């Protein structure tokens, strides 16, 4: 997919916004449904301070918050029309879109190092290669699971070389610490808590295999409610800038919401999360293109799926540009 094709796709989508009569015809929005997640500190800040409730009060719109335990849950809620806006990892969003989930991504809420391969402190496992024949916990449809697959491939292993144990993130931590699995593809803050409080070791880290935090919107909602989406993104921008200025306070909110210790939250917010680039663009497209082959190699998408086209359909540059001032 050439850059001009991507830009053409975005321009075509922008034509929807060029028909203001369609926007004005929409009835007032009674309820806005969106998720909050411990892997998205911005969502926790928004929920804590009530900035969305404040922004939508003049329109009489109620705000409904739904907890997402992982990208898989957020994407399921979006696909099932249970929420309008949800947060996930970038590669997980691409997988969902490729398999028919009608979402677009108009905003990047963070660039985290939120996943790694984790073992107990007394584990004999010292490298990814040592995982052959071992039980490894990971949540399917999430960045940690896809991180695991990419890590195995890089080490010359296949998915069938391990015994994958499908568990939600928090349950994966418990299984690891109880010795029911040999390794776990972790997710912060659970991973940071296991590391700091349980002595777990991160046996393999790779920031490049951690895809970005994508804020996804149901495509229908995005087309029908562009003004409301823009208002949500403006609130996310307010939260992002507040976190950059107040990282310790943001960590305290995370600690209270996720019920983890303050050192765990500080590790996630201050050392493992970059909030500097909210505008979707070529950086994020390139990261998805680099990661996308694993989806076809592992038969996670239908044969013949055009992932370049899917990426172009997913990444939406129209909305955040006006807020961030970045081209």
């Amino acid at each position: 997919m050439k850059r001009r094709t991507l830009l053409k796709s975005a321009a075509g989508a922008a034509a929807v916004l060029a028909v203001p009569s369609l926007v004005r015809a929409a009835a007032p929005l009674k309820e806005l449904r969106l998720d909050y997640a411990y892997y998205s500190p911005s969502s926790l800040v928004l929920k804590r301070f009530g900035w969305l409730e404040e922004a939508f009060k003049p329109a009489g719109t109620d705000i409904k918050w739904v907890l997402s335990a992982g990208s898989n849950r957020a994407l399921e809620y979006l696909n099932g029309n249970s929420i309008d806006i949800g947060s996930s990892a970038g590669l997980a969003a691409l997988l969902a879109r490729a398999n028919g989930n009608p979402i677009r991504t108009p905003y990047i809420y963070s660039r985290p190092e939120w996943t790694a391969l984790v073992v107990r402190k007394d584990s004999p496992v010292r490298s990814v290669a040592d995982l052959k024949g071992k039980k490894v916990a990971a949540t399917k449809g999430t960045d940690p699971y896809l991180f695991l697959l990419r890590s195995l491939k890089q080490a010359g292993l296949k998915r069938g070389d391990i015994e994958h144990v499908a568990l939600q993130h928090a349950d994966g931590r418990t299984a690891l610490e109880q010795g029911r699995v040999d390794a776990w593809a972790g997710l912060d803050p659970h991973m940071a808590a296991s590391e700091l409080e349980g002595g777990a070791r991160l046996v393999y880290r790779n920031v490049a295999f951690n895809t970005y935090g994508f804020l996804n919107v149901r495509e229908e909602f995005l087309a029908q409610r562009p003004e409301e989406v823009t208002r949500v993104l403006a609130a996310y921008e307010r939260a992002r800038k507040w976190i950059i200025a107040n990282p310790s306070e943001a960590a305290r909110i995370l600690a209270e919401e996720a019920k983890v210790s303050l050192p765990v939250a500080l590790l996630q917010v201050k050392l493992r999360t970059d909030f500097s680039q909210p505008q979707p663009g070529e950086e994020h497209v390139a990261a998805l293109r680099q990661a996308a082959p694993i989806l076809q190699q592992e038969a996670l998408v239908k044969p013949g799926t055009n992932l370049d086209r899917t990426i172009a359909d997913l990444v939406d540059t129209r909305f955040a540009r006006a807020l961030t001032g970045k081209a």
Side-chain angles (χ1 to χ4, degrees):
M1 177 68 65
K2 301 293 187 182
R3 175 182 173 86
R4 63 176 177 272
T5 306
L6 175 64
L7 295 177
K8 182 178 179 182
S9 175
V16 175
L17 300 184
V19 190
S21 60
L22 294 180
V23 176
R24 294 194 192 100
L29 183 64
K30 294 182 178 180
E31 183 178 69
L32 173 66
R33 307 162 302 167
L34 67 164
D35 78 339
Y36 68 102
Y38 305 144
Y39 51 85
S40 173
S42 296
S43 69
L44 303 181
V45 168
L46 281 177
K47 183 172 179 288
R48 172 63 61 91
F49 291 136
W51 289 338
L52 274 176
E53 287 82 354
E54 174 186 309
F56 281 88
K57 185 176 181 180
T61 302
D62 292 330
I63 304 298
K64 179 182 178 181
W65 293 100
V66 177
L67 175 64
S68 288
S71 293
N72 60 324
R73 292 287 182 253
L75 293 163
E76 286 168 8
Y77 297 153
L78 285 163
N79 198 36
N81 194 19
S82 297
I83 60 174
D84 305 303
I85 301 174
S87 46
S88 77
L91 190 54
L94 176 60
L95 173 61
R97 173 86 196 196
N99 286 325
N101 194 336
I103 56 172
R104 292 179 69 87
T105 302
Y107 189 83
I108 306 298
Y109 60 84
S110 72
R111 183 186 186 183
E113 185 191 4
W114 51 19
T115 187
L117 299 184
V118 190
V119 298
R120 292 183 302 279
K121 60 183 177 181
D122 58 351
S123 172
V125 173
R126 297 291 169 182
S127 69
V128 179
D130 293 338
L131 293 177
K132 187 172 184 178
K134 306 293 187 185
K135 291 183 178 180
V136 184
T139 309
K140 293 191 74 172
T142 67
D143 225 30
Y145 178 68
L146 298 168
F147 180 96
L148 169 63
L149 297 182
R150 296 176 76 186
S151 302
L152 292 172
K153 180 176 174 55
Q154 182 169 274
L157 300 178
K158 302 188 294 279
R159 179 170 44 171
D161 289 326
I162 64 162
E163 182 181 343
H164 171 235
V165 181
L167 294 171
Q168 199 64 45
H169 300 301
D171 297 327
R173 174 194 173 186
T174 300
L176 177 72
E177 293 179 350
Q178 292 180 349
R180 292 187 281 116
V181 296
D182 302 291
W184 165 52
L187 181 74
D188 276 340
H190 310 293
M191 182 171 72
S194 188
E195 185 182 2
L196 293 183
E197 298 168 0
R201 290 188 291 110
L202 307 187
V203 72
Y204 181 68
R205 299 172 69 175
N206 188 334
V207 176
F209 282 6
N210 287 250
T211 55
Y212 297 76
F214 276 34
L215 189 67
N216 309 299
V217 185
R218 289 190 302 107
E219 197 165 36
E220 181 183 24
F221 187 85
L222 190 65
Q224 294 178 350
R225 299 287 181 175
E227 293 180 358
E228 285 84 351
V229 171
T230 299
R231 206 175 307 164
V232 171
L233 301 195
Y236 261 88
E237 267 296 276
R238 183 178 180 183
R240 180 183 73 88
K241 292 174 180 176
W242 186 87
I243 292 172
I244 291 172
N246 304 277
S248 296
E249 290 84 349
R252 191 174 300 280
I253 291 172
L254 170 61
E256 292 172 0
E257 289 286 340
K259 295 179 174 56
V260 296
S261 69
L262 184 57
V264 166
L266 286 167
L267 175 59
Q268 178 180 343
V269 172
K270 282 192 169 185
L271 299 181
R272 291 184 180 164
T273 309
D274 177 2
F275 297 96
S276 66
Q277 176 53 286
Q279 168 63 47
E282 287 296 337
E283 175 184 350
H284 310 100
V285 168
L288 289 180
R289 284 179 179 157
Q290 184 178 11
I294 196 69
L295 303 182
Q296 291 175 323
Q297 292 159 4
E298 295 292 337
L300 299 175
V301 296
K302 294 179 181 178
T305 298
N306 186 334
L307 289 175
D308 278 348
R309 174 56 62 86
T310 305
I311 291 168
D313 290 341
L314 174 66
V315 178
D316 192 326
T317 63
R318 295 171 295 162
F319 293 86
R321 183 183 296 117
L323 298 170
T324 63
K326 296 180 180 179

